[in-house]
Amino acid sequence: MTDSHPPPADPRPLSPYRAGWIHFTNVAPILDSLVLPPGVTAITGVPTQMNEALLSGAVDIANISAVEFIRHADTLSALPDFSVSVLGPVYSVNLFHTCALSELKRVALTSQSAMSVALLEVLLLEWGVSPTLERAEGEAEALLAQGFDGVLRIGDSALREWYGVVGPFTEATIVPEIPQSGRGITVTDLAEEWFRVTGRPFVFAVWAYRKATPPPAALLDAMRAARRHGIGHLAEVSERHARKLGLPADVVQHYLWNFRYHLEDADRLALNEFADRAVPGHAPLEFGVR
Ligand SMILES: C=C(O[C@@H]1C=C(C(=O)O)C=C[C@H]1O)C(=O)O
C-alpha cells in the first residue's frame, strides 16, 4: 500500500498566497474594507513597484498598470470583473503644461506609472508631436518653472495638484465643465483625451496574476465583499480620504464615483484597442478565474 492521496479538487494554492496592492485613493472603495482570508498576505506600493513585484514573482496577484498586463499577456491572466477604469475624465492622470499640446518640446514623466506613460505616447501621436521625455520627480509647478513645458503626474498627488492649480471649486463646478487652467498652467486629463479620440472608456489597472498561481476563491469572495461595502459607503470612504488629501469631501466623492470598478465589455473592447495601439503584436488578453 502506498500512502498516496487523491489530488485536491481545487488546484489553486491554499497558502501562503501573496498579494500586492497599489493603494492610491482610487482603489480605496475596494481595498479599505478588505479583510484578507487566512493564508493570504499583502504588501503595498505605487504602480511601478507592484508591476515589478508581480513580474518578478514576489507576489502572486496585484492590481497593476494595465499596459504591463498587455506586455506580459503570455504569462499573466486578469480577473474578469475587476478594474480601475473611467469613461471620460479621471482627474488624476494629468499633463500639466504651459504651451499648446502641439508645441510640447520637453516633458517630465513620473516614475510611478507605466500606464500613463504608455497612454501619453499614444496621445502624442494623435497630437502630432514628439517632445523629449525625461523621468523627473517633484511638483509639476516646480518642474514647469525649471524648463519643462509639460509634466505628467498620476494618483493622489496629481489629483491634489490639479485642484491646487485650478481650484478652489465644488462638485457643482466639475460636472458641467472640468476646470482646466489656472496660474498660467493648463491641465490636460489624459483619460478625457482618450475618450475624445476613441469614444471609449480607459482601463488604468486590472487585477492580474501569473497563470500558474490563480487566486484562491476565498480571496475573490473577500475582494467582492469589500468592493460592495466600499461602493455602498462611498461618502464615508470619501470623507476619510478627503481629510488625508486635504481636499473637499464632495470633490473626492465625485472623483471616486466616477470610476468603473467592474471590468465590463466596453472596458475590454477599450483595453484591446489600447493594446493594439500601444503594444502591437501582443499576445491575446486572457481573463481568468471567477
Ligand atoms: C487613475 C489612476 O489609476 C492608477 C494608475 C496606474 C498607472 O498609471 O500605472 C495604475 C493603477 C491605477 O490604480 C491614478 O492613480 O491616477
Side-chain angles (χ1 to χ4, degrees), residues 51-52 54-56 64-78 208-211 279 282-286:
N51 300 343
E52 172 57 25
L54 183 65
L55 294 171
S56 69
I64 63 166
S65 307
V67 70
E68 292 297 351
F69 165 57
I70 295 164
R71 287 183 184 135
H72 300 276
D74 51 339
T75 55
L76 298 179
S77 240
Y209 58 89
R210 274 171 291 100
K211 288 178 187 176
V279 190
H282 65 89
L285 307 185
E286 197 179 290

Side-chain angles (χ1 to χ4, degrees), residues 22 24-27 47-48 51 63-67 84 86 90-93 112-117 153-156 158 204-207 255 259:
I22 298 168
F24 282 159
T25 300
N26 57 60
V27 205
T48 42
N51 300 343
N63 51 327
I64 63 166
S65 307
V67 70
V84 175
V86 290
V90 62
Y91 307 107
S92 62
V93 178
Q112 294 190 349
S113 164
M115 195 61 196
S116 63
V117 172
R153 287 294 174 266
I154 68 154
D156 295 354
F204 283 96
V206 293
W207 268 253
Y255 173 62
F259 281 99

Side-chain angles (χ1 to χ4, degrees), residues 3-214:
D3 192 22
S4 66
H5 297 283
D10 185 346
R12 303 177 200 181
L14 292 176
S15 70
Y17 194 80
R18 298 153 309 163
W21 306 142
I22 298 168
H23 207 326
F24 282 159
T25 300
N26 57 60
V27 205
I30 301 177
L31 292 182
D32 274 13
S33 52
L34 178 62
V35 179
L36 291 175
V40 180
T41 59
I43 57 168
T44 58
V46 299
T48 42
Q49 290 168 328
M50 292 306 101
N51 300 343
E52 172 57 25
L54 183 65
L55 294 171
S56 69
V59 298
D60 302 306
I61 189 170
N63 51 327
I64 63 166
S65 307
V67 70
E68 292 297 351
F69 165 57
I70 295 164
R71 287 183 184 135
H72 300 276
D74 51 339
T75 55
L76 298 179
S77 240
L79 296 182
D81 64 328
F82 276 87
S83 74
V84 175
S85 312
V86 290
L87 178 64
V90 62
Y91 307 107
S92 62
V93 178
N94 293 324
L95 185 70
F96 297 83
H97 50 110
T98 47
C99 63
L101 293 172
S102 58
E103 287 164 16
L104 287 168
K105 288 185 189 59
R106 190 173 168 228
V107 173
L109 303 179
T110 168
S111 56
Q112 294 190 349
S113 164
M115 195 61 196
S116 63
V117 172
L119 174 56
L120 179 67
E121 284 169 347
V122 165
L123 292 173
L124 288 172
L125 288 175
E126 292 290 329
W127 302 333
V129 269
S130 42
T132 57
L133 303 175
E134 297 168 44
R135 301 266 172 197
E137 294 312 316
E139 299 262 303
E141 228 177 321
L143 291 167
L144 290 170
Q146 284 165 30
F148 288 98
D149 47 30
V151 178
L152 178 64
R153 287 294 174 266
I154 68 154
D156 295 354
S157 57
L159 183 68
R160 251 198 320 259
E161 278 203 76
W162 163 68
Y163 188 81
V165 167
V166 303
F169 52 79
T170 66
E171 183 204 335
T173 320
I174 311 179
V175 177
E177 204 171 327
I178 307 166
Q180 265 199 314
S181 55
R183 299 154 53 152
I185 299 172
T186 302
V187 187
T188 293
D189 182 316
L190 295 196
E192 173 79 8
E193 272 295 292
W194 168 262
F195 174 70
R196 202 184 50 76
V197 170
T198 63
R200 293 197 193 278
F202 192 79
V203 182
F204 283 96
V206 293
W207 268 253
Y209 58 89
R210 274 171 291 100
K211 288 178 187 176
T213 54

